[in-house]
Amino acid sequence: MSKKAKSESPEAPEKAAKSASSSSKAATKSDTSKSAKEAGTSSKTSAKTTAAGGASTKTTTSDAQPKKKSADKASKKSSSSKKSADTTAKSDAKKKSEATKKSEASAAKTAATSKTAETRASTAKGEKKAEKSASDATSEAKNVDTSTSTARLAPAKVARLKQAEEVIANVGRDEATRKGTKKFKAVKSDFASALRVGEGFVLADLDASSTPAFDGGPKKAEKVMRKTGDELADLQERLYASERHPGGRSVLLLVQGMDTSGKGGIMRHVVGTMDPQGVELTAFKTPTKEEQAHPFLWRIRNALPKPGYVGVFDRSQYEDVLVVRVHDLVSRPVWMRRYGQINAFEESVVANGTTIIKVMLHISADEQKARLAERLEDPEKFYKFNPGDLVERSYWSEYQEAYQALLEKTSTDVAPWFVVPADNKWYARLAVQQLVLEHLRALALEWPEATFDVPEQRARLEKL
């Protein structure tokens, strides 16, 4: 059969199809194989190219292992060096920090020390300045005839102040104040001169059991007090009768002293002999809240005696330079200024017509202890005992210093201090009575003239 016939037989298409399918598969296989070969060739080419650049992949991996080990060692060495450096740096930083802290602490300590020294110096300077201020104020108050002291007073008050100064200077020294009036045959006395605080006075040198200006004992003292009591009452009545008008005169008895010094006895045995209608007595206790809200002299000013009266202070403004100083209740500059303030205040009081008699009852430490013990032993005297008295007694030396200071700074020409030895109660009572008596005598008090027509009033009385 010819080639053409074979191709046109029925089986031919199928064979052709199979042949085509086989050819296609073969072609596909061939293409796949070829692609694989090409890929392999490409990979080999790439490998060769890499080798041409320095080494094949196999060669590169093989050569990199020693290098990697070497790099790891170097890295470890570097890391170790870094850690060592970090440790050293941290150690250095820590040392530096500690050194800085020490340096700062030292500097702070030095600064604090310097600041403390400056504070102390400033405080000392302030205290010295306060002392000088108080000293200056005291000097001004003593020199009452200077323009600085009298400039704030009216001319009439300046004249009265000078007159009061002359009267005070003559108390006990003038014959009239020593003998009394003819009506009362009183014993001569000069307690004022003997007890007055003068230049160079030292409290510690005064014997608390002594009896200046008196050479008798308890019985004689009692006799003298009876004889002069009538005269005292007469003079007090004259004061009440003649001076109860605006601008009239008055007397202020101010009594200070340690606990158990006998202030209560003075109130009973001296003030108690006067006519109560002409006496104004004030006992100053711990300041109330209202009093604390005002300057320390506010409550004192409110208690001053009216014209014609005898005012009596059981304790006084001087508590504000005694208790507050001993117990540090206010700063030193504050209580230092108060001496001058008190002097100026008393000067104005005297200029307004009040005679001030300042008495300190001076008791010894041994006598105070004996009197406290007596109060604890006698049930009838328990009411007099205060446990606080024992606390105050523990500050005995501090109080003595405070009293010495106030006596030096506030005993002025117009309001001098009189220190009365008070270990002997009978003497203290006699001395205070005589001091009041001598000052009343010095006022030369007269009975007031009638303010009405006497004959006319007599005639009217006759018709009734």
Side-chain angles (χ1 to χ4, degrees), residues 162-239:
K162 290 183 178 181
Q163 182 182 7
E165 199 175 330
E166 293 174 1
V167 169
I168 295 299
N170 290 326
V171 170
R173 298 172 186 173
D174 191 317
E175 190 69 13
T177 65
R178 294 175 62 189
K179 291 177 63 177
T181 61
K182 293 179 180 180
K183 182 179 178 180
F184 303 99
K185 297 178 181 178
V187 178
K188 289 184 180 181
S189 63
D190 189 6
F191 283 81
S193 297
L195 302 175
R196 182 170 177 162
V197 172
E199 196 74 27
F201 175 82
V202 178
L203 182 62
D205 292 344
L206 179 62
D207 182 0
S209 64
S210 62
T211 59
F214 190 72
D215 58 3
K219 290 183 178 180
K220 184 178 179 181
E222 186 178 353
K223 183 179 179 180
V224 171
M225 287 187 72
R226 280 199 308 268
K227 292 179 69 175
T228 56
D230 291 338
E231 183 185 1
L232 180 61
D234 177 77
L235 291 172
Q236 184 218 350
E237 189 177 0
R238 292 189 188 203
L239 176 70

Side-chain angles (χ1 to χ4, degrees), residues 248-326:
R249 292 175 294 179
S250 61
V251 172
L252 174 60
L253 172 63
L254 182 155
V255 184
Q256 282 286 153
M258 296 289 288
D259 295 323
T260 77
S261 60
K263 295 184 293 295
I266 298 300
M267 302 305 136
R268 288 189 299 273
H269 296 280
V270 178
V271 180
T273 64
M274 298 183 192
D275 186 344
Q277 72 173 341
V279 175
E280 295 180 335
L281 191 153
T282 306
F284 290 99
K285 306 295 184 181
T286 302
T288 63
K289 288 185 178 180
E290 181 185 13
E291 291 170 343
Q292 290 176 353
H294 294 83
F296 77 101
L297 289 171
W298 179 79
R299 64 174 183 166
I300 307 299
R301 194 184 304 278
N302 289 341
L304 290 173
K306 297 187 290 290
Y309 286 77
V310 174
V312 182
F313 285 178
D314 182 352
R315 299 187 186 276
S316 64
Q317 63 268 26
Y318 288 96
E319 293 295 298
D320 287 287
V321 289
L322 289 169
V323 179
V324 298
R325 169 178 173 157
V326 171

